[in-house]
Amino acid sequence: MKKRIGAFAMAMMMLAPMNSFAADAVVPSTDGVVYGNNLVPNGDFESGAIDWPNWVNINIGKEAPHGKEQALKIPAGFGITGLDFGALEPNRTYRFGAWYKFVNGDAGGNLKLTLGKSFSKQLDFTENDGEYHYVETIFTAPSELMPTSNSNLTLVKWSSADFYLDDVVLEKVSSAEDVKKEAIAPAFLHATDNSETAVDLVWEKPKGNPAVKYTVYQDDKAVGDTANTSFTVEGLEAGGVYNFKVVAAKGDQTSFATNTLNLHTVTPLPALTKELYPGQIGVGLEGLGGRGYEFADAAKTLRQWVKADGSEGVKADANGWPTEDAATVFFDHRPVAAWLNDIDDPTKQFPDISGVYKLSFKGQAVLGNMDASSPFKVENQKYDKKSNTTTADIVLAKGSGLLYMTFTKTNGGVSDVKLMRPGYSAGDTFTKEFLQALQPFGTLRFMDWLSTNNNNPAYPAVTEWSDRKLTTDATQLLQDGTHGVAWEYIIALANQTGKDIWINIPVAASDDYVKSLASLLKAKLNPGIKIYVEYSNEVWNDLFTQQAYNKAAAIAEGAKEGSALSKHTMQSYFDDPNDGDYTPQKRSWTRHRIAQRLIEIGQQFQTVFGEDALNTRVRPVLSWFAIIPDQYEDMLNWVSQTYGDPKNYFYAIASAPYFNSSAASDAASTTEVLTAMQEDSKRFSSPDETKQELIGLADQYGLKSYTYEGGPDSGGGSTINVENRIAAHRSERMGDLVKYDVGNNFLDQNGDMFMYFTLTSGYNRYGMWGASEDILDNLDTPKYEALTSLLGTDVQPFSDVAKSHFAYEAVKSLYAAHIVTGENGNFLPKRLLTGGELEGMLNRLATYVQSRSVTALAEYKAADLGDGAVTREQLAVQLVQVYEAGTGRKVKHPEAVALKDAKQVTAKALPAVEAAIATGLLSADGGGKFKPQAKVTRAEAAVALARLLEYVR
């Protein structure tokens, strides 16, 4: 389609030599128009493919060129390539064009130019007569561009024809007046810092350094002149949004303006709405082998063995141990990207992992170093012939982050390799530093431990129980296609720490896999530990292969006659109605299948744990895309229509409401990065935004509202301004932002549990996710301390309930919700609970729940329980009444609970006693006795009420 363009641009198009696109120098025309260099490397493809990286189905060669000897070809089918070429100059005019042709098929493709964050130009290829055609556009580069901005070309072709592209050009087009302006133009305006009322601006001198005078503009009004390349603008308002630019002048000649800098001044953070959210923050664990230093034996996360020369294809036994000379990387903790001599972190921080590691293995070997940049010493190497065991001390110097070791002259390889970290012995499974870092959090999410993403076969193949990782495997990382930690290690960690677990079921897991997993958890996991169950991870996200698996499965199943997936469909605002192969109806099928599969998984767990374990101990969580509430509604509506009330199948819905710095400029100061993140958190937490919609939707269906991931996000893979992004995440203000986002903007808005992503990570271009980047020596970072502060890790509300007391966490939770009170600073945990005290606690609990806009307990008022001491039987009856009223769920088969002293329970109270045990509100002793007439202490009651609060909050 032809578009209207200005007279100046049209004149330059008519004057432009259409085929001379590989110009090597500035070319003045006779009409005063100047053409710059072609900014597209290898735009005529004469130098071959090397300048056009990242291609799929792309060839460059001598077939059918335009003009010269070579052209780019995409054979019939799909093809894509991208090219980064550097930033353009703001406010300048450019010409962008190319020659193309389609042969033997229909047209279909485009070439898009992207500049910075807000600008794109697309050339559509529409002719398919087999001849070359030219397309171009004249445009002005956006004013916000600066030298750090991303600029790239993306070529996408999707037709069945052969496609050819040649003579791609992107060049500056200038008039004689433009040349004069450019000679004195300053560049790269950015802020070095800003506060609530002032901003410090700096910029670069014009090329050639002419003597000029600079004028600074604020919102297109001049606010000052200077001969320097810096200026402080004062008198601004806190939280204001301003645009700045700088123009130079020499005599009567003025320059082009610099890039326009959009800036928010600092807004003071509001005070915390609440100080404490005990038990409402969990944490995701980083992928194994990272900064978590999870295993005392570092060899548990060694990389897959390769041949001793570094090449792949080493022979191995059934467990993955090499049967020939081999090499492996035990760990690589160097900062990104030290191996390219390009470290993102300006301070080059990484943990000190030096010391003496104890190595042992079956067999004999000469040990060597595959990477001289990270030296280590081998000392005290010994071989015991009787046990066929070699031991040695591996001494790693301070400053080394890589251990890449060769095992040669082995006479048949090595096996059972162990590498105990300094200070640990063979009996240790997890490091004390890792366990300490986990201590404040009540729930651990294992998505990355399980390598959930991109870890599935193509549909219709399935993942069987026999495909899982075993503890006997040579590594818990990738090995012969097997990903994910052994489930036994998740169980061991949960049992050792007492933390609840959030697990991700593989997208292709068979029913047998799910039932076998449930059986393992039932047999090995401590009974008090709750299990949150999620179907894969981000099945909506087409960056992950699980999305393609679910899509293929849903389309195959939904197309069958009478399929439930194809009923009750809803079109989302984000469903593309123009995609004939993936219609809004089929997109709805994919969402329905996720809900269906999670229901099936929950039912399979029920067959193992018992029917009443669902939504009590076993808690299915329906996760989806945070910014699309109507698609959650599609899933929940479909469940209502197909199965019944969703709260009978799901415990919670979950999203990932990160707050990010994407609105910050490409050269934003640390303060600007933080300000952009504050604004992002505020924006997505407003009453009409998605966070509130999802919390309201959960309440509507009687479900909890969780995040499956969340926290500050400044990743994405770009190195632009990465230094300031990293500095922002280490700042004290980032800790305040975490409190603001997690506390004020989720939990205090009636969100139920926030899963922070992640406990640990290094800080680099891909993200600064970790609450800590060094748990060995720097656990108390601003982000980690913010989370522990919200959890009340060091809070002791009552002097007689110490942190070591069994009721400490329960009392703290009830205290934060204003449900329990004390006397003279004491809780009196050993005192027997009276009926009047229980009545007051239950009424305050109902008031707290009602304050969170939950209607289930709106009419609740505790019965008059008298002033006598409360028995366990009486407590059970009251707890179950509130549980049923607050959740809308009933225990279906309380008789499944077998009590050895059931006859001591009054007949009328027995169903409630059994229901209290089934829901985990109360428990029998180790001998299976409930002791119904035993009196309840205030501490025992607090534990039961805290469990109740978790259900009805």
Side-chain angles (χ1 to χ4, degrees), residues 52 403 530:
W52 285 72
L403 186 60
K530 296 179 285 292

Side-chain angles (χ1 to χ4, degrees), residues 356-357 359 361 365-369 375-382 390-396 403 405-406:
V356 179
Y357 291 74
L359 176 69
F361 55 88
V366 173
L367 306 176
N369 190 353
F376 61 86
K377 295 179 180 179
V378 180
E379 297 180 351
N380 303 319
Q381 184 169 345
K382 299 175 183 178
T390 296
T391 59
D393 292 339
I394 306 300
V395 183
L396 195 65
L403 186 60
M405 188 180 295
T406 58

Side-chain angles (χ1 to χ4, degrees), residues 587-836:
R587 292 172 186 265
S588 187
W589 298 357
T590 65
R591 299 189 285 269
H592 295 172
R593 185 183 179 276
I594 291 166
Q596 179 189 67
R597 189 63 186 135
L598 184 59
I599 289 173
E600 292 170 349
I601 290 167
Q603 291 171 336
Q604 288 152 6
F605 267 76
Q606 274 185 299
T607 64
V608 174
F609 281 84
E611 186 169 3
D612 289 318
L614 188 68
N615 290 321
T616 54
R617 187 181 181 196
V618 178
R619 302 177 171 187
V621 181
L622 182 65
S623 298
W624 195 247
F625 194 12
I627 67 171
I628 315 181
D630 67 338
Q631 295 188 4
Y632 287 84
E633 175 66 25
D634 180 17
M635 292 186 283
L636 294 172
N637 174 69
W638 179 80
V639 171
S640 296
Q641 299 282 350
T642 307
Y643 289 90
D645 195 338
K647 71 172 177 286
N648 293 327
Y649 302 96
F650 307 140
Y651 189 79
I653 61 173
S655 62
Y658 288 102
F659 63 104
N660 65 57
S661 57
S662 60
S665 74
D666 291 335
S669 66
T670 298
T671 303
E672 287 179 88
V673 171
L674 291 163
T675 298
M677 299 185 81
Q678 179 176 333
E679 290 299 313
D680 194 58
S681 176
K682 176 183 177 182
R683 179 167 59 93
F684 280 105
S685 302
S686 60
D688 58 347
E689 276 290 350
T690 55
K691 270 187 189 177
Q692 284 298 297
E693 285 189 55
L694 290 175
I695 291 171
L697 187 65
D699 188 22
Q700 175 187 335
Y701 281 92
L703 301 170
K704 303 294 183 189
S705 181
Y706 287 174
T707 73
Y708 63 86
E709 294 172 7
D713 170 19
S714 295
S718 171
T719 58
I720 290 177
N721 204 34
V722 69
E723 299 89 349
N724 283 341
R725 287 187 280 138
I726 289 173
H729 279 253
R730 290 175 176 157
S731 70
E732 291 296 327
R733 188 176 165 203
M734 178 59 76
D736 295 334
L737 282 179
V738 168
K739 290 181 185 179
Y740 171 68
D741 184 76
V742 177
N744 285 15
N745 291 343
F746 185 75
L747 295 177
D748 199 60
Q749 302 302 316
N750 298 337
D752 291 291
M753 183 163 69
F754 194 103
M755 297 298 295
Y756 188 85
F757 185 81
T758 63
L759 176 67
T760 56
S761 78
Y763 287 5
N764 52 63
R765 68 190 70 175
Y766 303 109
M768 306 94 202
W769 309 109
S772 172
E773 51 185 320
D774 182 3
I775 63 172
L776 303 180
D777 194 44
N778 187 26
L779 184 59
D780 295 330
T781 65
K783 288 194 282 190
Y784 187 88
E785 288 189 328
L787 297 172
T788 58
S789 173
L790 292 172
L791 285 165
T793 301
D794 297 321
V795 171
Q796 188 173 338
F798 302 103
S799 59
D800 55 351
V801 183
K803 290 178 66 175
S804 58
H805 195 283
F806 74 89
Y808 167 74
E809 289 293 340
V811 170
K812 187 172 62 177
S813 294
L814 298 175
Y815 168 80
H818 307 291
I819 294 169
V820 297
T821 58
E823 297 179 9
N824 299 319
N826 294 315
F827 181 68
L828 307 173
K830 294 181 180 180
R831 194 175 77 183
L832 295 182
L833 179 74
T834 68

Side-chain angles (χ1 to χ4, degrees), residues 39 85-95 113-116 118-121 138-146 149 151 170-173 256-260:
L39 301 172
F85 56 85
L88 303 188
E89 296 177 57
N91 311 308
R92 309 299 203 274
T93 301
Y94 290 86
R95 176 174 62 180
L113 171 69
T114 302
L115 309 176
S118 63
F119 181 92
S120 67
K121 280 285 183 180
I138 301 288
F139 65 93
T140 300
S143 61
E144 78 272 11
L145 286 184
M146 55 185 67
S149 299
S151 295
L170 174 62
E171 59 188 3
K172 188 191 298 184
V173 183
F256 280 109
T258 61
N259 56 286
T260 298

Side-chain angles (χ1 to χ4, degrees), residues 184-369:
I184 59 170
F188 193 24
L189 173 66
H190 58 287
T192 56
D193 199 9
N194 64 291
S195 64
E196 295 178 19
T197 59
V199 56
D200 297 328
L201 301 174
V202 296
W203 57 90
E204 292 180 355
K205 292 181 178 181
K207 296 176 182 178
N209 297 322
V212 296
K213 181 184 74 173
Y214 303 104
T215 301
V216 178
Y217 289 85
Q218 173 191 319
D219 298 329
D220 293 323
K221 294 182 180 179
V223 293
D225 296 318
T226 180
N228 301 317
T229 55
S230 62
F231 189 84
T232 297
V233 181
E234 298 179 312
L236 305 176
E237 293 184 3
V241 181
Y242 300 94
N243 291 299
F244 299 97
K245 63 183 178 182
V246 175
V247 175
K250 184 175 182 180
D252 294 334
Q253 181 66 53
T254 58
S255 74
F256 280 109
T258 61
N259 56 286
T260 298
L261 179 65
N262 178 271
L263 185 142
H264 285 64
T265 51
V266 175
T267 302
L269 278 170
L272 288 179
T273 314
K274 265 179 63 177
E275 295 291 335
L276 294 179
Y277 301 90
Q280 291 185 255
I281 301 174
V283 70
L285 302 185
E286 181 186 7
L288 290 172
R291 296 292 181 91
Y293 307 107
E294 312 86 1
F295 291 112
D297 176 9
K300 288 190 184 297
T301 53
L302 57 79
R303 296 187 187 176
Q304 185 159 323
W305 292 88
V306 296
K307 290 186 176 181
D309 62 1
S311 61
E312 297 182 357
V314 67
K315 296 176 183 178
D317 66 15
N319 293 323
W321 298 114
T323 57
E324 59 179 312
D325 289 1
T328 189
V329 175
F330 282 100
F331 47 73
D332 187 355
H333 298 306
R334 295 173 295 175
V336 175
W339 42 94
L340 300 176
N341 296 316
D342 181 26
I343 295 176
D344 294 346
D345 179 6
T347 60
K348 299 177 174 57
Q349 293 183 26
F350 73 101
D352 178 10
I353 57 171
S354 62
V356 179
Y357 291 74
K358 298 293 184 179
L359 176 69
S360 65
F361 55 88
K362 295 292 184 182
Q364 290 181 277
V366 173
L367 306 176
N369 190 353

